[in-house]
Amino acid sequence: MATLERFNHSALRRTVITFRDTMRAHAPGINRLNVYPVPDGDTGTNMARTLDAVVAELEAAPEGLDTTCDAISHGSLMGARGNSGVILSQILRGLASTLKNAKDATDGSGAKVAEALKNASSAAYQAVLKPIEGTILTVVRESADAAHEAAQQGESLSGVLRAARAAGKLALDRTPEMLPVLKDAGVVDAGGAGFLLLLDSALHVVDGEPLPEPDESAGPSLEALEAVSLRHSEGSVDVSELRYEVMYFLDLADEHIQSFKEGWGEIGDSIVVVGGDGIWNCHVHTNDIGAAVEVALDLGGRPRKIRVTDLFEEVADEHAHRESELGVHHPRAGAGLPPVTTAVVAVSSGDGLSELMGQLGVQGVVTGGQTLNPSTAELLAAVEAVNAQQVVVLPNNKNIIPVAEQLSSLTTKTVAVVPTTSMVEALAALVVYDPESGAAANASEMGDARRSVATGEVTRAVRTS
């Protein structure tokens, strides 16, 4: 394959399509690297889905530099997914806007590509309210700086791309020294690893360089994952305490966007806002979904296509998946879990509720509900299995309360029953659960919490009446 001297629209299209295909192949390995800002294992997937949208836009666009660059900009803006996808979209938009404006004899030269990388880095930093080093931002910036230096020394297009790739790899290898959570997990930054695939794809198109093979390793060890969890639980990474990822498109005048970002900065983190000309793709991690929408409304904006993801649920799913791959299986009742002063045993009517209760601190789950009441023996087994000498039991059904109240006389453990009659009452009670308080104190607080909610239920009749 002959080396290209100019990065024309055809090479740009082939690079983006190659990048999409390579990202798809590497997505599982990049997902396994994903521990920051939230270890939910979706960085590779989000970057691949963002590129799917870009390629779909490209395939519908006519040939030509302007139309190719417009398709990349629009497709990446409208198709960006997750924190990593939104940052990637801004990188692609920075590249496309620079290459589109190249109208002289230097179109597509090494110098123009170096300029495009510099603008891509600048655009990525501008999109993030609080840039963090040791992430994709660092890798892009150092790649762009090396490309600029190579271009000033008169390097060809291939030489500029090789300099960018080499510097980016060195920056990626240093990311664990910049972000302790990466060092704890024994990984490099997932987003940065994904960005390097763009440079790999460009070198493949320009110079025939072989594409890297996907990483088939198992990812962080169980011990490394536990170290990451400990760092998060100690509060060293504040964003890990934010439960919801909120994304939406926003119609808002450009002059108000800085005020919008600052408003989001007061209620969340991992804020990335990309776009322009009155339309923006917005991403935030927050505990207040309503406020995330209200900030836009207060500025006269119109949010649309609002997407909310429960990050705690995604992280729990990813940890369970990784532990399964590592051959670790936790029992549903709390054997093997850390000891606490007071544990909770709860009756649950479905796997989704069981998972949610686990996230709220429940150590023992017993399957049951309206037409499937667990026996005293089943509840007692769960009480005995949890790693605590004091236990609060949530029956979550009026028919199960009398059964639960027999437990105290059947075990040497201290058992307190909070007479919850629905799953909603149980969730309200669990919000105030304190594993380090005694059973009596917990039962009192949790009882007050469950009485503070009113619930109703619609169910299917078993016969006509």
Side-chain angles (χ1 to χ4, degrees), residues 241-330:
E241 300 172 0
L242 301 174
R243 177 156 195 162
Y244 301 105
E245 177 186 68
V246 179
M247 293 189 67
Y248 53 70
F249 292 106
L250 174 62
D251 296 325
L252 182 67
D254 291 10
E255 60 264 27
H256 296 314
I257 204 62
Q258 185 60 34
S259 296
F260 171 76
K261 290 162 69 173
E262 291 170 358
W264 261 14
E266 295 177 2
I267 55 102
D269 209 322
S270 292
I271 295 162
V272 190
V273 180
V274 304
D277 298 324
I279 181 169
W280 306 86
N281 194 334
C282 310
H283 171 282
V284 66
H285 291 176
T286 182
N287 285 326
D288 193 337
I289 299 168
V293 176
E294 289 164 3
V295 169
L297 298 175
D298 290 344
L299 291 168
R302 184 171 74 91
R304 50 193 173 90
K305 295 186 178 179
I306 299 171
R307 300 194 300 273
V308 179
T309 301
D310 187 331
L311 295 170
F312 286 10
E313 183 175 330
E314 286 209 337
V315 169
D317 286 346
E318 176 62 15
H319 278 207
H321 175 68
R322 293 191 189 188
E323 288 181 340
S324 176
E325 288 184 338
L326 293 167
V328 177
H329 303 282
H330 288 307

Coordinates of all heavy atoms in Angstrom, one line a residue, residues 241-330:
E241 N -19.9 8.9 44.3 CA -21.0 9.0 45.2 C -22.2 9.5 44.4 O -23.3 9.6 45.0 CB -20.7 9.9 46.4 CG -19.5 9.4 47.2 CD -19.0 10.4 48.2 OE1 -19.6 11.4 48.3 OE2 -18.1 10.0 49.0
L242 N -22.1 9.9 43.2 CA -23.2 10.4 42.4 C -23.9 9.3 41.7 O -23.3 8.6 40.9 CB -22.7 11.5 41.4 CG -21.9 12.7 42.1 CD1 -21.3 13.6 41.0 CD2 -22.9 13.4 43.0
R243 N -25.2 9.2 41.9 CA -25.9 8.0 41.5 C -26.4 8.0 40.0 O -26.4 6.9 39.4 CB -27.1 7.8 42.4 CG -27.9 6.6 42.0 CD -28.7 6.0 43.1 NE -29.2 4.7 42.8 CZ -29.7 3.8 43.7 NH1 -29.7 4.1 44.9 NH2 -30.1 2.6 43.3
Y244 N -26.7 9.1 39.5 CA -27.4 9.1 38.2 C -26.6 9.8 37.1 O -25.9 10.8 37.3 CB -28.8 9.8 38.3 CG -29.7 9.2 39.3 CD1 -29.9 9.8 40.5 CD2 -30.3 8.0 39.0 CE1 -30.7 9.2 41.5 CE2 -31.1 7.4 39.9 CZ -31.3 8.0 41.2 OH -32.2 7.4 42.1
E245 N -26.6 9.2 35.9 CA -26.0 9.9 34.7 C -27.2 10.4 34.0 O -28.2 9.7 33.6 CB -25.3 8.9 33.9 CG -24.8 9.4 32.6 CD -24.2 8.4 31.7 OE1 -25.0 7.5 31.2 OE2 -23.0 8.4 31.4
V246 N -27.2 11.7 33.8 CA -28.3 12.4 33.1 C -27.7 13.0 31.8 O -26.7 13.7 31.8 CB -28.9 13.6 33.9 CG1 -30.0 14.3 33.1 CG2 -29.4 13.0 35.2
M247 N -28.4 12.7 30.6 CA -28.0 13.2 29.3 C -29.2 13.7 28.6 O -30.3 13.1 28.7 CB -27.3 12.1 28.5 CG -26.0 11.6 29.0 SD -25.1 10.5 27.8 CE -24.8 11.7 26.5
Y248 N -29.0 14.8 27.9 CA -30.1 15.2 27.0 C -29.5 16.2 26.0 O -28.4 16.7 26.1 CB -31.2 15.9 27.8 CG -31.0 17.0 28.8 CD1 -30.5 18.3 28.3 CD2 -31.1 16.8 30.1 CE1 -30.3 19.3 29.2 CE2 -30.9 17.8 31.0 CZ -30.5 19.1 30.6 OH -30.3 20.1 31.5
F249 N -30.3 16.4 24.9 CA -30.0 17.4 24.0 C -30.7 18.7 24.5 O -31.8 18.7 25.0 CB -30.6 17.1 22.6 CG -29.9 15.9 21.9 CD1 -30.5 14.7 21.8 CD2 -28.6 16.1 21.4 CE1 -29.8 13.6 21.3 CE2 -27.9 15.1 20.8 CZ -28.5 13.8 20.7
L250 N -30.0 19.8 24.3 CA -30.5 21.1 24.8 C -30.5 22.2 23.7 O -29.5 22.4 23.1 CB -29.6 21.5 26.0 CG -29.9 22.9 26.6 CD1 -31.3 23.0 27.2 CD2 -28.8 23.2 27.6
D251 N -31.7 22.7 23.5 CA -31.8 23.9 22.7 C -31.6 25.2 23.6 O -32.4 25.5 24.5 CB -33.2 24.0 22.0 CG -33.4 22.8 21.1 OD1 -32.5 22.4 20.4 OD2 -34.6 22.4 21.0
L252 N -30.4 25.8 23.4 CA -30.1 27.0 24.3 C -29.1 27.9 23.5 O -28.2 27.4 22.9 CB -29.4 26.5 25.6 CG -29.0 27.5 26.6 CD1 -30.3 28.2 27.2 CD2 -28.2 26.9 27.7
A253 N -29.4 29.2 23.6 CA -28.5 30.2 23.0 C -27.1 30.0 23.5 O -26.8 29.8 24.7 CB -29.0 31.6 23.2
D254 N -26.1 30.1 22.5 CA -24.7 29.9 22.9 C -24.2 30.8 24.0 O -23.4 30.3 24.8 CB -23.8 30.1 21.6 CG -24.1 29.1 20.5 OD1 -25.0 28.3 20.7 OD2 -23.3 29.1 19.6
E255 N -24.7 32.0 24.1 CA -24.2 32.9 25.2 C -24.6 32.4 26.6 O -24.0 32.9 27.6 CB -24.7 34.3 24.9 CG -26.2 34.5 25.0 CD -26.8 34.4 23.6 OE1 -26.2 33.8 22.7 OE2 -27.9 35.0 23.4
H256 N -25.5 31.5 26.7 CA -25.9 31.0 28.0 C -25.3 29.7 28.4 O -25.5 29.2 29.6 CB -27.5 30.8 28.1 CG -28.3 32.1 27.9 ND1 -28.0 33.2 28.5 CD2 -29.3 32.3 27.1 CE1 -28.8 34.2 28.2 NE2 -29.7 33.7 27.3
I257 N -24.4 29.1 27.6 CA -24.0 27.8 27.8 C -23.0 27.8 29.0 O -23.0 26.8 29.8 CB -23.4 27.1 26.6 CG1 -23.4 25.6 26.7 CG2 -22.0 27.6 26.3 CD1 -24.8 25.0 26.8
Q258 N -22.2 28.8 29.2 CA -21.2 28.8 30.3 C -22.0 28.8 31.6 O -21.7 28.2 32.6 CB -20.3 30.0 30.2 CG -19.2 30.0 31.3 CD -18.3 28.7 31.3 OE1 -18.0 28.1 30.2 NE2 -17.9 28.3 32.5
S259 N -23.1 29.6 31.7 CA -23.9 29.7 32.9 C -24.6 28.3 33.1 O -24.7 27.9 34.3 CB -25.0 30.8 32.7 OG -24.4 32.1 32.6
F260 N -25.0 27.7 32.0 CA -25.6 26.3 32.2 C -24.5 25.4 32.8 O -24.9 24.6 33.7 CB -26.0 25.8 30.8 CG -26.4 24.4 30.8 CD1 -27.7 24.0 31.3 CD2 -25.6 23.4 30.3 CE1 -28.0 22.7 31.3 CE2 -26.0 22.1 30.3 CZ -27.2 21.7 30.8
K261 N -23.3 25.4 32.3 CA -22.3 24.5 32.8 C -22.0 24.8 34.3 O -21.8 23.8 35.1 CB -21.0 24.6 31.9 CG -21.2 23.9 30.6 CD -20.2 24.4 29.6 CE -18.8 23.9 29.9 NZ -17.8 24.2 28.8
E262 N -21.9 26.0 34.6 CA -21.7 26.4 36.0 C -22.8 26.0 36.9 O -22.6 25.6 38.1 CB -21.4 27.9 36.1 CG -20.1 28.3 35.5 CD -20.0 29.8 35.4 OE1 -20.9 30.5 35.8 OE2 -18.9 30.3 34.9
G263 N -24.1 26.1 36.4 CA -25.2 25.6 37.2 C -25.2 24.1 37.4 O -25.4 23.6 38.5
W264 N -24.8 23.4 36.4 CA -24.6 21.9 36.6 C -23.5 21.6 37.6 O -23.5 20.7 38.3 CB -24.3 21.3 35.2 CG -25.6 20.7 34.6 CD1 -26.9 20.9 35.0 CD2 -25.6 19.8 33.5 NE1 -27.7 20.1 34.3 CE2 -27.0 19.4 33.3 CE3 -24.7 19.2 32.7 CZ2 -27.4 18.6 32.4 CZ3 -25.1 18.3 31.7 CH2 -26.4 18.0 31.5
G265 N -22.4 22.5 37.5 CA -21.3 22.3 38.4 C -21.7 22.3 39.9 O -21.0 21.8 40.8
E266 N -22.8 23.0 40.2 CA -23.2 23.1 41.6 C -24.0 21.8 42.1 O -24.2 21.6 43.2 CB -24.1 24.3 41.8 CG -23.4 25.6 41.6 CD -24.3 26.8 41.7 OE1 -25.5 26.6 41.9 OE2 -23.8 28.0 41.5
I267 N -24.5 21.0 41.1 CA -25.3 19.8 41.5 C -24.7 18.5 41.0 O -25.3 17.5 41.2 CB -26.7 20.0 41.0 CG1 -26.8 20.2 39.4 CG2 -27.4 21.1 41.7 CD1 -27.1 19.0 38.6
G268 N -23.5 18.6 40.4 CA -23.0 17.3 39.8 C -21.5 17.4 39.4 O -20.8 18.4 39.8
D269 N -21.1 16.4 38.7 CA -19.7 16.3 38.3 C -19.7 15.5 37.0 O -20.7 15.1 36.4 CB -18.8 15.5 39.3 CG -17.4 16.0 39.3 OD1 -16.9 16.3 38.2 OD2 -16.8 16.1 40.4
S270 N -18.4 15.2 36.4 CA -18.3 14.6 35.1 C -19.1 15.3 34.1 O -19.8 14.7 33.3 CB -18.7 13.1 35.2 OG -17.7 12.4 36.0
I271 N -19.1 16.6 34.1 CA -19.9 17.5 33.2 C -19.2 17.7 31.9 O -18.1 18.1 31.8 CB -20.2 18.8 33.9 CG1 -21.0 18.6 35.1 CG2 -20.9 19.8 32.9 CD1 -21.0 19.8 36.1
V272 N -19.9 17.2 30.8 CA -19.4 17.4 29.4 C -20.5 18.0 28.6 O -21.6 17.4 28.6 CB -18.9 16.1 28.8 CG1 -18.2 16.4 27.5 CG2 -18.0 15.4 29.8
V273 N -20.3 19.1 28.0 CA -21.3 19.8 27.1 C -20.7 20.1 25.8 O -19.7 20.8 25.7 CB -21.8 21.1 27.8 CG1 -22.9 21.7 26.9 CG2 -22.4 20.8 29.2
V274 N -21.2 19.5 24.7 CA -20.6 19.8 23.4 C -21.7 20.3 22.4 O -22.9 20.0 22.6 CB -20.0 18.5 22.8 CG1 -18.9 18.0 23.8 CG2 -21.0 17.4 22.5
G275 N -21.3 21.0 21.4 CA -22.3 21.5 20.4 C -22.0 22.9 20.0 O -20.9 23.4 20.1
G276 N -23.0 23.6 19.6 CA -22.9 25.0 19.2 C -24.1 25.4 18.3 O -24.9 24.5 17.9
D277 N -24.2 26.6 18.0 CA -25.3 27.1 17.2 C -26.6 26.8 17.7 O -27.6 26.4 17.0 CB -25.1 26.6 15.7 CG -23.8 27.1 15.1 OD1 -23.4 28.2 15.3 OD2 -23.3 26.3 14.3
G278 N -26.7 26.8 19.1 CA -28.0 26.7 19.7 C -28.4 25.2 20.0 O -29.5 25.0 20.7
I279 N -27.6 24.2 19.7 CA -28.0 22.8 20.1 C -26.8 22.2 20.7 O -25.6 22.3 20.2 CB -28.5 22.0 18.8 CG1 -28.8 20.6 19.3 CG2 -27.4 22.0 17.7 CD1 -29.6 19.8 18.2
W280 N -27.0 21.5 21.8 CA -25.9 21.0 22.7 C -26.3 19.6 23.1 O -27.4 19.2 23.4 CB -25.7 21.9 23.9 CG -25.5 23.3 23.6 CD1 -26.5 24.3 23.3 CD2 -24.2 23.9 23.3 NE1 -25.9 25.4 23.0 CE2 -24.5 25.3 23.0 CE3 -22.9 23.5 23.4 CZ2 -23.5 26.2 22.7 CZ3 -21.9 24.4 23.1 CH2 -22.2 25.7 22.8
N281 N -25.3 18.7 23.2 CA -25.4 17.4 23.8 C -24.7 17.5 25.2 O -23.5 17.8 25.3 CB -24.7 16.4 22.9 CG -25.1 14.9 23.3 OD1 -25.4 14.7 24.4 ND2 -25.0 14.0 22.3
C282 N -25.5 17.2 26.3 CA -25.1 17.5 27.6 C -25.1 16.2 28.5 O -26.0 15.4 28.4 CB -26.1 18.5 28.3 SG -26.4 19.9 27.2
H283 N -24.0 16.1 29.3 CA -23.8 14.9 30.2 C -23.4 15.3 31.6 O -22.5 16.2 31.7 CB -22.7 14.1 29.5 CG -22.2 12.9 30.4 ND1 -21.4 13.1 31.4 CD2 -22.5 11.6 30.4 CE1 -21.1 11.9 32.0 NE2 -21.8 11.0 31.4
V284 N -24.0 14.7 32.6 CA -23.6 15.0 34.0 C -23.9 13.8 34.9 O -24.8 13.0 34.6 CB -24.4 16.3 34.5 CG1 -25.9 15.9 34.6 CG2 -23.9 16.7 35.9
H285 N -23.1 13.7 35.9 CA -23.4 12.7 37.0 C -23.9 13.5 38.2 O -23.3 14.5 38.6 CB -22.1 11.9 37.4 CG -21.6 11.0 36.3 ND1 -20.5 10.3 36.5 CD2 -22.2 10.6 35.1 CE1 -20.3 9.5 35.4 NE2 -21.3 9.7 34.6
T286 N -25.0 13.1 38.8 CA -25.7 13.9 39.8 C -26.5 13.0 40.7 O -26.9 11.9 40.3 CB -26.5 15.0 39.2 OG1 -27.1 15.8 40.2 CG2 -27.6 14.4 38.3
N287 N -26.9 13.5 41.9 CA -27.9 12.8 42.7 C -29.2 13.5 42.6 O -30.2 13.1 43.2 CB -27.4 12.9 44.2 CG -26.3 11.8 44.4 OD1 -26.3 10.8 43.8 ND2 -25.4 12.2 45.3
D288 N -29.3 14.6 41.8 CA -30.6 15.4 41.7 C -31.0 15.5 40.3 O -30.6 16.4 39.6 CB -30.4 16.7 42.4 CG -31.7 17.5 42.6 OD1 -32.7 17.1 41.9 OD2 -31.7 18.4 43.4
I289 N -31.8 14.5 39.8 CA -32.3 14.5 38.4 C -33.1 15.8 38.1 O -32.9 16.4 37.0 CB -33.1 13.2 38.1 CG1 -32.2 12.0 38.4 CG2 -33.6 13.2 36.7 CD1 -33.0 10.7 38.4
G290 N -34.0 16.1 39.0 CA -34.8 17.3 38.7 C -34.0 18.5 38.5 O -34.3 19.3 37.6
A291 N -33.0 18.8 39.4 CA -32.2 20.0 39.3 C -31.4 20.0 38.0 O -31.2 21.0 37.4 CB -31.3 20.1 40.5
A292 N -31.0 18.8 37.5 CA -30.3 18.7 36.3 C -31.1 19.2 35.1 O -30.5 19.7 34.1 CB -29.8 17.3 36.0
V293 N -32.4 19.1 35.2 CA -33.3 19.5 34.1 C -33.6 21.0 34.4 O -33.7 21.8 33.4 CB -34.5 18.7 34.0 CG1 -35.5 19.3 33.0 CG2 -34.2 17.2 33.7
E294 N -33.8 21.4 35.6 CA -34.3 22.7 35.9 C -33.2 23.8 35.6 O -33.6 24.9 35.2 CB -34.6 22.8 37.4 CG -35.9 22.1 37.8 CD -36.0 21.8 39.3 OE1 -35.1 22.3 40.1 OE2 -37.0 21.1 39.7
V295 N -31.9 23.4 35.7 CA -30.9 24.4 35.3 C -31.1 24.9 33.9 O -31.0 26.1 33.6 CB -29.5 23.8 35.5 CG1 -28.4 24.7 34.9 CG2 -29.2 23.5 36.9
A296 N -31.5 24.0 33.0 CA -31.7 24.3 31.6 C -32.9 25.2 31.5 O -32.9 26.2 30.8 CB -31.8 23.1 30.7
L297 N -34.0 24.8 32.2 CA -35.3 25.6 32.1 C -35.1 27.0 32.6 O -35.7 27.9 32.0 CB -36.4 24.8 32.8 CG -36.7 23.4 32.3 CD1 -37.7 22.7 33.2 CD2 -37.2 23.5 30.9
D298 N -34.4 27.1 33.7 CA -34.2 28.5 34.3 C -33.5 29.4 33.3 O -33.6 30.6 33.5 CB -33.4 28.3 35.6 CG -34.2 27.7 36.7 OD1 -35.4 27.6 36.5 OD2 -33.6 27.2 37.7
L299 N -32.7 28.9 32.4 CA -32.0 29.7 31.4 C -32.7 29.9 30.1 O -32.2 30.5 29.2 CB -30.6 29.1 31.2 CG -29.6 29.2 32.3 CD1 -28.4 28.3 32.0 CD2 -29.2 30.6 32.6
G300 N -34.0 29.4 30.1 CA -34.8 29.5 28.9 C -34.5 28.4 27.9 O -34.9 28.6 26.7
G301 N -33.8 27.4 28.3 CA -33.5 26.3 27.4 C -34.6 25.2 27.3 O -35.5 25.2 28.1
R302 N -34.5 24.4 26.3 CA -35.5 23.3 26.1 C -34.7 22.0 26.0 O -34.2 21.6 25.0 CB -36.3 23.5 24.8 CG -37.4 22.5 24.7 CD -38.3 22.8 23.5 NE -37.7 22.6 22.2 CZ -37.8 21.4 21.5 NH1 -38.5 20.4 22.0 NH2 -37.2 21.3 20.4
P303 N -34.7 21.2 27.1 CA -34.1 19.9 27.1 C -35.0 18.9 26.3 O -36.3 19.0 26.4 CB -34.0 19.5 28.6 CG -34.4 20.7 29.4 CD -35.2 21.5 28.5
R304 N -34.4 18.0 25.6 CA -35.2 17.0 24.9 C -34.4 15.7 24.9 O -33.2 15.7 25.0 CB -35.7 17.4 23.5 CG -34.6 18.0 22.7 CD -35.2 18.7 21.4 NE -34.1 19.4 20.7 CZ -33.5 18.8 19.7 NH1 -33.7 17.6 19.3 NH2 -32.6 19.5 19.0
K305 N -35.1 14.6 24.6 CA -34.5 13.2 24.6 C -33.7 13.0 25.9 O -32.5 12.6 25.8 CB -33.7 13.0 23.4 CG -34.5 13.1 22.1 CD -33.6 12.7 20.9 CE -34.5 12.7 19.6 NZ -33.7 12.4 18.4
I306 N -34.3 13.2 27.0 CA -33.7 13.1 28.3 C -33.5 11.6 28.6 O -34.4 10.8 28.5 CB -34.5 13.7 29.4 CG1 -34.7 15.2 29.1 CG2 -33.8 13.5 30.8 CD1 -35.6 15.9 30.1
R307 N -32.2 11.2 29.0 CA -31.9 9.8 29.3 C -31.3 9.8 30.7 O -30.3 10.6 31.0 CB -30.9 9.2 28.3 CG -31.4 9.2 26.9 CD -30.5 8.2 26.0 NE -29.1 8.6 26.0 CZ -28.6 9.5 25.1 NH1 -29.4 10.1 24.2 NH2 -27.3 9.8 25.1
V308 N -31.8 9.0 31.6 CA -31.3 8.8 33.0 C -30.8 7.4 33.2 O -31.6 6.5 32.9 CB -32.3 9.2 34.0 CG1 -31.8 9.1 35.4 CG2 -32.8 10.7 33.8
T309 N -29.6 7.2 33.7 CA -29.1 5.9 34.0 C -28.7 5.8 35.4 O -28.1 6.7 36.0 CB -27.8 5.6 33.1 OG1 -28.1 5.7 31.7 CG2 -27.2 4.3 33.4
D310 N -29.1 4.8 36.1 CA -28.7 4.5 37.5 C -27.3 3.9 37.5 O -27.1 2.8 37.2 CB -29.7 3.6 38.1 CG -29.5 3.4 39.6 OD1 -28.3 3.5 40.1 OD2 -30.4 3.1 40.4
L311 N -26.3 4.7 37.8 CA -24.9 4.3 37.8 C -24.6 3.3 38.8 O -23.8 2.4 38.6 CB -24.0 5.5 38.0 CG -24.0 6.5 36.8 CD1 -23.3 7.8 37.2 CD2 -23.5 5.9 35.5
F312 N -25.3 3.3 40.0 CA -25.1 2.3 41.0 C -25.5 1.0 40.5 O -24.8 0.0 40.8 CB -25.9 2.7 42.3 CG -25.3 3.8 43.1 CD1 -24.3 4.6 42.6 CD2 -25.8 4.1 44.4 CE1 -23.8 5.7 43.3 CE2 -25.3 5.1 45.1 CZ -24.3 6.0 44.6
E313 N -26.6 0.9 39.8 CA -27.0 -0.4 39.3 C -26.1 -0.9 38.2 O -25.7 -2.0 38.1 CB -28.4 -0.2 38.6 CG -29.0 -1.5 38.1 CD -30.5 -1.2 37.6 OE1 -31.2 -0.4 38.2 OE2 -30.9 -2.0 36.7
E314 N -25.6 0.0 37.3 CA -24.6 -0.4 36.3 C -23.3 -0.9 36.9 O -22.7 -1.8 36.5 CB -24.4 0.8 35.3 CG -25.5 1.1 34.4 CD -25.0 1.7 33.1 OE1 -23.9 2.2 33.1 OE2 -25.8 1.5 32.1
V315 N -22.9 -0.2 37.9 CA -21.6 -0.6 38.6 C -21.8 -1.9 39.2 O -20.9 -2.8 39.2 CB -21.2 0.5 39.6 CG1 -20.0 -0.1 40.5 CG2 -20.7 1.8 39.0
A316 N -22.9 -2.2 39.9 CA -23.2 -3.5 40.5 C -23.2 -4.6 39.5 O -22.7 -5.7 39.7 CB -24.5 -3.4 41.3
D317 N -23.9 -4.3 38.3 CA -23.9 -5.3 37.3 C -22.5 -5.6 36.7 O -22.2 -6.7 36.5 CB -24.8 -4.7 36.1 CG -26.3 -4.8 36.4 OD1 -26.6 -5.4 37.4 OD2 -27.0 -4.1 35.7
E318 N -21.7 -4.5 36.6 CA -20.4 -4.7 36.0 C -19.5 -5.5 37.0 O -18.8 -6.4 36.6 CB -19.7 -3.4 35.7 CG -18.3 -3.4 35.3 CD -18.1 -4.2 34.0 OE1 -19.1 -4.5 33.3 OE2 -17.0 -4.6 33.7
H319 N -19.6 -5.2 38.3 CA -18.8 -5.9 39.3 C -19.3 -7.4 39.4 O -18.4 -8.3 39.5 CB -19.0 -5.3 40.7 CG -18.1 -4.1 40.9 ND1 -17.7 -3.7 42.2 CD2 -17.6 -3.2 40.1 CE1 -16.9 -2.7 42.1 NE2 -16.9 -2.3 40.8
A320 N -20.6 -7.6 39.3 CA -21.0 -9.0 39.3 C -20.5 -9.8 38.0 O -20.1 -10.9 38.1 CB -22.6 -9.1 39.3
H321 N -20.5 -9.1 36.9 CA -20.0 -9.7 35.6 C -18.5 -10.0 35.8 O -18.1 -11.1 35.4 CB -20.3 -8.7 34.5 CG -19.7 -9.2 33.2 ND1 -20.2 -10.3 32.5 CD2 -18.6 -8.7 32.4 CE1 -19.5 -10.4 31.4 NE2 -18.5 -9.5 31.3
R322 N -17.7 -9.0 36.3 CA -16.3 -9.2 36.4 C -16.0 -10.3 37.4 O -15.1 -11.2 37.2 CB -15.6 -7.9 36.8 CG -15.7 -6.9 35.7 CD -14.7 -5.7 36.0 NE -14.9 -4.6 35.1 CZ -14.1 -3.5 35.1 NH1 -13.1 -3.4 35.9 NH2 -14.4 -2.5 34.3
E323 N -16.7 -10.4 38.5 CA -16.5 -11.4 39.5 C -16.9 -12.8 39.0 O -16.2 -13.8 39.2 CB -17.3 -11.1 40.8 CG -16.8 -9.9 41.6 CD -17.6 -9.7 42.8 OE1 -18.7 -10.1 42.9 OE2 -17.0 -9.0 43.7
S324 N -17.9 -12.8 38.1 CA -18.3 -14.1 37.5 C -17.2 -14.6 36.6 O -16.8 -15.7 36.6 CB -19.6 -13.9 36.7 OG -19.9 -15.1 36.0
E325 N -16.6 -13.6 35.8 CA -15.5 -14.0 34.9 C -14.3 -14.5 35.7 O -13.5 -15.3 35.2 CB -15.1 -12.8 34.1 CG -16.1 -12.4 33.0 CD -15.6 -11.3 32.1 OE1 -14.7 -10.5 32.6 OE2 -16.1 -11.2 30.9
L326 N -14.1 -13.9 36.9 CA -13.0 -14.3 37.7 C -13.3 -15.5 38.6 O -12.5 -16.0 39.4 CB -12.6 -13.1 38.7 CG -12.0 -11.9 37.9 CD1 -11.9 -10.7 38.9 CD2 -10.6 -12.2 37.4
G327 N -14.5 -16.1 38.4 CA -14.9 -17.3 39.2 C -15.3 -17.1 40.6 O -15.2 -18.0 41.4
V328 N -15.8 -15.8 40.9 CA -16.2 -15.5 42.2 C -17.7 -15.5 42.3 O -18.3 -14.8 41.4 CB -15.6 -14.2 42.7 CG1 -16.2 -13.8 44.1 CG2 -14.1 -14.2 42.7
H329 N -18.3 -16.1 43.2 CA -19.8 -16.1 43.3 C -20.2 -15.9 44.7 O -19.9 -16.7 45.6 CB -20.4 -17.5 42.8 CG -20.0 -17.9 41.4 ND1 -20.5 -17.3 40.3 CD2 -19.0 -18.7 41.0 CE1 -20.0 -17.8 39.2 NE2 -19.0 -18.6 39.6
H330 N -20.9 -14.8 45.0 CA -21.3 -14.4 46.3 C -22.7 -15.0 46.6 O -23.6 -15.0 45.7 CB -21.5 -12.9 46.5 CG -20.1 -12.2 46.5 ND1 -19.2 -12.6 47.4 CD2 -19.6 -11.2 45.8 CE1 -18.1 -11.9 47.3 NE2 -18.3 -11.0 46.3

